[in-house]
Amino acid sequence: MIAFFLALGVLTVSGGMAVLAGRNSRLATCWGVSGALVGCLAGLAPAIQVLMGSAGFSFRSAWDVPYGEFYLAIDPLTAWFLLPVFGVSALAAVYSSEYLRPFGERQSLGPIFGWFNILIASMALVVAARNAVLFLVAWEVMSLASFFLVTFEDEREEVREAGWTYLVATHLGTAFLFVLFTLLGRQAGSMNFDQFSAISSMPSVLTAVLFLLALVGFGTKAGFMPLHVWLPEAHPAAPSHVSAVMSGVMIKLGIYGILRTLTFLGPPPAWWGQTFLMIGMTSGVLGVVFALSQHDLKRLLAYHSVENIGIIALGLGIGLLGHSKGQPVMSWLGFGGALLHVLNHSLFKALLFLGAGSVLHATGTRELDRLGGLLKTMPWTAFTFLVGAMAICGLPPFNGFVSEWLIYVGGFRGFLEFTTRSGMWLGLGIAALALIGGLAAACFAKAFGTVFLGSPRESRAHPLHEAGPAMLIPMMVLVGSCLAIGLWPHRVVQFMMPAISGIYNETPSLNIEGMASALAGLMMVSATAALFLCITLALVVLRRLSLSNRPISQTVTWDCGYTAPAASMQYTAASFAQPLVRLFQSVLRTQSHEQAPAGYFPASARLTSHTPDVATAYLFLPLFAKVRRGLEGLRWLQQGRVQLYLLYIFITLVVLLVWKLGV
Amino acid sequence: MSVIPLLLSLGLALVCPPLLLGVIHKTKAILTGRVGAPVLQPYYDLWKLLQKGAVYSRTTSWVFRAGPLVSPAAFLTAALFVPLTTPSALLSFWGDVVLWAYLIGVARFITVLAALDTGSSFEGMGASREVTFASLAEPALFVALAVIAKVTGSVQLSEMFGPVLGQAWRTAGPALALAAASFFLVLLAENARMPVDDPTTHLELTMIHEVMVLDHSGPDFAFILYGSALKLFLFSVLLVRLLVPVHIGVVWLDLVIVVAGLLGLAVLIGIVESSMARLRLIRVPQLLVTSGVLAAVGLLLVWR
């Protein structure tokens, strides 16, 4: 526990020092990055210790806040979430030392390093808090810190807009959490989490309400469709290392919140699992479909976060359904897949956002159709982005496949076992997961293909440069972890065991037939991944042999005899995705503006297309417009006179006093 | 389990694939009144290509060179899970069907990237079509596999397509028939056959798979040809095992039955290709959705 406090202390102090460094951007960078590194390494130690099997830590101390207690604990579930919190954030911090340098010439870097370290500390506090008040405080600090990070480039209109959307969304979500914890606190008679878990029985209506509150409150942070609307706004607006941490780590804390709440609510009824399956299917499929229609690299990645949260929700649904139907192996596979995907997604999504950041750093644009051919100027960034793309598509031999495999196999277990409607749900879930896999591969073929392959679509004034070592080394570490989990999944799963059993306090015995075959399956996945790499290597040798002493020549790409091919004639990202976008037109509602060529000697033609978020455009904007119209009747309250506001405060106090004294 | 039958079937899986292509071509030639190339022509082609040098486009990078290596490697790995005969495949575990499908996904992904690496519009077009159709074929394939899994009670390829099927046809015949029909459509789509893709066309605008590999030459192209033959072989073996669930117990006899089934399937594909035109590209998604619906109806039938 001391190491954990050390981590929190170092992060907060170094954050403060970075702010104090002010306009001296080198000093601020120094404080911020070294503090983040030391803090994160210190924080990782207890997490790894707990996952290795040592007893959990806890710490309690009185706190003056009403109902609050300074109560922290690290159990395996917390420890599992601490891995991405500290691991990915440390790498992002190293990356930022170089990424932010150009900004340092224009503005002070103190605040961004300060808020970044505060964000890490608050995320760690969120997963370690065992008191609802403390949890909410940490949650709020996390939301505010990330808000200030998102609005770093606040001189740009769209960044302010995105920050505003994020601030509203996150607070609406938090409002649900207040209700959730208040209701739980009333039942338990205390705001401590251990008292919540000890609630002996609750009316089933109340559990249902609590479940739904948690679903909306934490789901807003996690980004379940249609609560995801802030994600595609905030992630592109934030600096790339912040997007990496927000998308890779912070939204996972929504999943953590849901898991933690599940431990309070007792045995789950079957409809919870079905609800999660439904959420998973909609978020997964719609997330990737919207990603396909995007032209902005970081916005595309943000929609993929929605998709991956959907995959995690599918895993949770399978786990819950398995638990409620008395299928321990299925439950284990579902929860295991979800938890492993939490870690995996934090690795490859951070990798992809950092890669996108390097592209932005070098070219100054996120617009897919203005890029191209970057593989030749930025070979290492391209390589790391390719690994991230394959991992996120769930392709072996990388880590994404392992977690998706666990979820598939869990789904199939239940599918073969159940004869009721639940089995049908699982069948749908499996089909949806297959569709998601296919579409994700299409989308990343588009993203990687347009940005890195072919030739540059625009000529640039300055020659492009590869990212420097401070940016590349964190990305290479992430590549290494993606490959390591893909090649040694059984090790990682053993590490994860205590975290999975932390959810419902049950571990299926390793001797059960299903468990044994699942673990053996993981070994085989690992063996196959290694074999696949070996066969590829063998083919490399074979080709080298067959090409030795043979002529190898270079020429142009086959152009059907056309004499003046140009880089702008390459297939664009928009054209690449067009057939799929068209198929899903009924949900996407892509708007295109066309100026067709006219006359015998057409001079100009234009085609632009734009896909607004369907939930924003057709659900939230009309809803908020209605609310606003409804509230216009209260305008007279706002007169802008200070005396009047003082009067309001006075009246409120009197009313509260009267109520409290019961006159 | 003895080693010899496993090695024998592995050897067959390595050697046989181009033969299927030869039989398809011969069937098409006969049906259209031509003599056609010898059945072994694909082998001659491979041999000739392996003797040649290579030409690379200046636009391309290592991704382009990786395509022809990674995709056959993925198919070869996937081949180890496919039960050609008898109790088991070379590799087999509970849930290997997912790995099998995703290995094929790896091959597709890298082929598409290699196509995009040339910077050619034609290849971009082919790649775009490939990913579109593949992402629709994927759920259809999984639902068809789910039907078979439900009937046989396993998600292990060598059990799903193993001796249990013979019994299953008696109890769940209609569902399996629907799954087989769906699987056949997926096979045609995944392997760039008519009516989804025309493997013999010479117009870049209309092709899918062929246009993606336009710029590959020499040994690289040989690897690609072999890889796509192997992919066809893998799908065909599963379909044949599904349709002809005969299990005698004598290894060589079982192998003969499977090979006869494969040749029969190749003839069937040849007949399909000679008797219909390629669908308009807009219609292809409908075909794939049909395939998914067939499998889903099969699923409802198993569900009672």
Side-chain angles (χ1 to χ4, degrees):
Chain A
M1 212 64 210
I2 294 173
F4 187 75
F5 281 117
L6 182 72
L8 292 186
V10 168
L11 285 168
T12 325
V13 170
S14 63
M17 292 307 285
V19 174
L20 288 181
R23 291 209 61 88
N24 185 345
S25 52
R26 184 168 296 177
L27 190 62
T29 311
C30 204
W31 272 111
V33 175
S34 57
L37 260 183
V38 173
C40 289
L41 288 180
L44 275 177
I48 291 175
Q49 219 176 329
V50 168
L51 287 171
M52 295 285 264
S54 86
F57 306 102
S58 72
F59 173 85
R60 315 180 66 141
S61 137
W63 198 24
D64 289 340
V65 177
Y67 304 109
E69 186 182 347
F70 205 79
Y71 184 6
L72 295 174
I74 302 181
D75 62 357
L77 190 61
T78 294
W80 183 257
F81 279 87
L82 281 178
L83 290 185
V85 166
F86 284 131
V88 171
S89 308
L91 294 173
V94 174
Y95 178 93
S96 70
S97 67
E98 184 178 332
Y99 180 79
L100 288 175
R101 201 173 300 147
F103 295 96
E105 289 153 18
R106 284 187 282 118
Q107 67 195 95
S108 164
L109 290 185
I112 187 165
F113 281 110
W115 285 118
F116 190 75
N117 288 5
I118 303 257
L119 174 67
I120 307 175
S122 61
M123 289 195 297
L125 205 55
V126 163
V127 288
R130 289 296 180 274
N131 175 280
V133 180
L134 182 63
F135 180 92
L136 285 173
V137 169
W139 187 264
E140 188 59 28
V141 173
M142 172 179 91
S143 299
L144 287 179
S146 48
F147 165 74
F148 286 114
L149 291 170
V150 167
T151 51
F152 173 60
E153 292 174 73
D154 55 6
E155 68 278 6
R156 290 182 14 227
E157 163 90 39
E158 76 265 22
V159 170
R160 292 198 299 273
E161 191 86 7
W164 180 240
T165 311
Y166 172 54
L167 197 65
V168 172
T170 186
H171 281 103
L172 283 181
T174 312
F176 284 86
L177 297 185
F178 269 94
V179 183
L180 169 76
F181 284 125
T182 315
L183 287 177
L184 273 170
R186 272 179 72 95
Q187 286 291 318
S190 155
M191 287 302 243
N192 283 350
F193 284 2
D194 49 359
Q195 299 290 328
F196 289 176
S197 328
I199 301 173
S200 51
S201 69
M202 272 188 277
S204 61
V205 182
L206 183 64
T207 21
V209 169
L210 291 175
F211 172 73
L212 292 176
L213 284 170
L215 204 60
V216 177
F218 289 119
T220 312
K221 189 57 90 180
F224 291 153
M225 277 268 172
L227 305 171
H228 70 284
V229 287
W230 63 271
L231 263 129
E233 304 298 327
H235 288 340
S240 298
H241 69 290
V242 175
S243 322
V245 168
M246 280 177 74
S247 189
V249 186
M250 196 186 73
I251 63 171
K252 304 305 173 347
L253 299 193
I255 301 291
Y256 166 79
I258 286 170
L259 285 173
R260 190 56 79 189
T261 313
L262 285 177
T263 62
F264 307 148
L265 296 185
W271 68 269
W272 291 6
Q274 288 161 1
T275 310
F276 268 108
L277 283 178
M278 203 157 61
I279 292 173
M281 283 187 266
T282 42
S283 300
V285 175
L286 291 182
V288 68
V289 167
F290 272 97
L292 262 170
S293 64
Q294 302 306 317
H295 308 308
D296 174 328
L297 182 57
K298 283 177 77 177
R299 220 175 140 85
L300 179 148
L301 291 178
Y303 272 114
H304 270 287
S305 296
V306 179
E307 174 227 320
N308 277 280
I309 286 290
I311 295 177
I312 294 172
L314 279 177
L316 292 182
I318 289 167
L320 281 170
L321 210 54
H323 189 76
S324 63
K325 301 266 176 183
Q327 295 280 342
V329 179
M330 173 188 168
S331 164
W332 186 88
L333 287 167
F335 284 127
L339 279 185
L340 187 57
H341 206 72
V342 163
L343 179 68
N344 285 346
H345 182 249
S346 76
L347 295 173
F348 50 65
K349 184 46 70 69
L351 175 58
L352 289 166
F353 264 119
L354 296 185
S358 300
V359 170
L360 180 63
H361 193 256
T363 64
T365 181
R366 308 189 304 247
E367 196 84 11
L368 288 173
D369 284 332
R370 295 176 57 196
L371 297 164
L374 289 186
L375 191 138
K376 295 185 191 71
T377 38
M378 308 175 73
W380 288 106
T381 308
F383 170 72
T384 56
F385 198 91
L386 179 60
V387 170
M390 289 185 74
I392 200 174
C393 295
L395 297 176
F398 298 105
N399 57 353
F401 176 74
V402 180
S403 38
E404 286 193 27
W405 183 82
L406 285 172
I407 294 172
Y408 266 118
V409 174
F412 270 121
R413 280 237 166 249
F415 174 75
L416 297 183
E417 207 68 48
F418 300 154
T419 47
T420 51
R421 212 173 338 146
S422 302
M424 231 28 192
W425 275 104
L426 291 172
L428 270 178
I430 291 166
L433 202 51
L435 181 63
I436 294 169
L439 292 173
C443 193
F444 274 97
K446 159 184 143 166
F448 183 78
T450 346
V451 175
F452 292 102
L453 302 179
S455 35
R457 286 181 174 73
E458 282 185 353
S459 56
R460 292 180 197 286
H462 308 288
L464 295 182
H465 58 94
E466 174 61 288
M471 283 161 84
L472 278 178
I473 290 171
M475 282 152 72
M476 293 311 275
V477 172
L478 289 169
V479 164
S481 351
C482 285
L483 190 61
I485 298 181
L487 285 179
W488 292 283
H490 44 288
R491 292 279 164 75
V492 183
V493 166
Q494 272 166 2
F495 210 55
M496 192 173 62
M497 290 275 197
I500 304 174
S501 39
I503 301 172
Y504 276 120
N505 262 332
E506 59 154 15
T507 328
S509 147
L510 297 184
N511 306 322
I512 301 181
E513 178 269 330
M515 253 339 248
S517 75
L519 293 177
L522 279 176
M523 296 285 273
M524 288 297 286
V525 166
S526 123
T528 314
L531 191 67
F532 172 47
L533 291 180
C534 291
I535 295 180
T536 313
L537 274 182
L539 287 181
V540 171
V541 173
L542 191 64
R543 181 179 60 185
R544 184 149 293 174
L545 285 181
S546 68
L547 274 180
S548 59
N549 306 324
R550 299 249 161 72
I552 298 175
S553 52
Q554 297 240 318
T555 179
V556 292
T557 298
W558 168 240
D559 49 11
C560 292
Y562 186 67
T563 47
S568 60
M569 290 177 192
Q570 293 176 95
Y571 223 48
T572 59
S575 333
F576 187 83
Q578 188 265 351
L580 279 168
V581 168
R582 213 175 117 131
L583 276 177
F584 291 98
Q585 185 58 36
S586 52
V587 272
L588 286 175
R589 296 163 187 268
T590 300
Q591 299 154 4
S592 49
H593 311 282
E594 187 182 343
Q595 182 204 331
Y600 293 112
F601 301 99
S604 75
R606 280 185 81 79
L607 175 70
T608 51
S609 69
H610 168 61
T611 310
D613 193 278
V614 75
T616 313
Y618 297 93
L619 179 64
F620 289 110
L621 284 183
L623 183 72
F624 285 143
K626 278 227 178 74
V627 170
R628 194 166 138 184
R629 232 170 298 137
L631 292 179
E632 255 161 26
L634 295 177
R635 271 257 177 96
W636 55 270
L637 279 171
Q638 301 277 0
Q639 301 286 352
R641 300 233 301 268
V642 179
Q643 294 91 325
L644 210 56
Y645 292 122
L646 283 175
L647 182 67
Y648 292 160
I649 293 172
F650 179 70
I651 292 173
T652 315
L653 278 176
V654 169
V655 169
L656 284 177
L657 269 176
V658 168
W659 181 48
K660 185 68 194 171
L661 298 175
V663 177
Chain B
M1 195 194 324
S2 63
V3 183
I4 295 167
L6 287 178
L7 288 182
L8 196 62
S9 42
L10 182 67
L12 264 180
L14 288 178
V15 175
C16 258
L19 185 66
L20 289 186
L21 290 182
V23 173
I24 293 176
H25 293 158
K26 197 71 181 174
T27 314
K28 285 167 78 175
I30 292 173
L31 285 176
T32 47
R34 292 179 285 121
V35 178
V39 174
L40 295 182
Q41 185 64 40
Y43 293 96
Y44 305 150
D45 290 348
L46 285 177
W47 183 247
K48 187 182 71 184
L49 285 168
L50 281 174
Q51 307 294 315
K52 294 197 172 226
V55 181
Y56 293 110
S57 155
R58 272 179 217 109
T59 321
T60 58
S61 62
W62 58 266
V63 174
F64 180 79
R65 288 161 181 71
L69 300 176
V70 176
S71 64
F75 294 134
L76 282 170
T77 317
L80 301 177
F81 292 95
V82 170
L84 205 53
T85 74
T86 49
S88 174
L90 209 58
L91 294 179
S92 179
F93 62 93
W94 213 90
D96 60 2
V97 61
V98 180
L99 181 56
W100 182 81
Y102 272 68
L103 277 170
I104 288 171
V106 174
R108 179 186 311 119
F109 189 71
I110 199 79
T111 311
V112 164
L113 289 188
L116 289 174
D117 199 16
T118 60
S120 148
S121 290
F122 297 119
E123 293 179 45
M125 236 176 258
S128 158
R129 289 167 189 163
E130 170 87 3
V131 296
T132 306
F133 301 151
S135 46
L136 295 176
E138 197 90 354
L141 174 69
F142 267 89
V143 178
L145 288 172
V147 175
I148 302 167
K150 187 76 186 169
V151 170
T152 56
S154 172
V155 283
Q156 192 165 354
L157 277 176
S158 55
E159 281 177 23
M160 288 166 72
F161 296 89
V164 195
L165 267 181
Q167 183 62 36
W169 270 99
R170 257 164 260 152
T171 53
L176 281 181
L178 285 168
S182 160
F183 198 86
F184 183 60
L185 292 180
V186 171
L187 179 149
L188 293 178
E190 280 280 341
N191 290 288
R193 313 304 309 184
M194 294 269 216
V196 174
D197 188 8
D198 186 351
T200 51
T201 177
H202 287 286
L203 188 60
E204 290 86 345
L205 276 175
T206 61
M207 299 188 285
I208 301 174
H209 182 261
E210 286 300 304
V211 73
M212 283 204 298
V213 298
L214 262 185
D215 266 273
H216 291 284
S217 56
D220 286 336
F221 193 54
F223 286 146
I224 286 177
L225 276 187
Y226 180 76
S228 50
L230 185 57
K231 184 181 184 188
L232 177 65
F233 178 82
L234 297 181
F235 276 88
S236 304
V237 170
L238 291 188
L239 188 57
V240 167
R241 296 281 290 173
L242 174 61
L243 290 175
V244 195
V246 185
H247 178 67
I248 296 173
V250 187
V251 176
W252 65 268
L253 216 55
D254 280 335
L255 274 182
V256 168
I257 292 174
V258 170
V259 171
L262 284 173
L263 296 179
L265 183 64
V267 172
L268 178 67
I269 295 174
I271 294 174
V272 170
E273 297 222 327
S274 327
S275 58
M276 64 192 304
R278 195 176 60 76
L279 287 175
R280 284 173 62 204
L281 287 171
I282 299 180
R283 298 271 169 250
V284 174
Q286 296 174 358
L287 182 80
L288 292 169
V289 172
T290 310
S291 155
V293 169
L294 285 178
V297 173
L299 203 55
L300 287 175
L301 285 180
V302 204
W303 223 266
R304 286 178 298 272

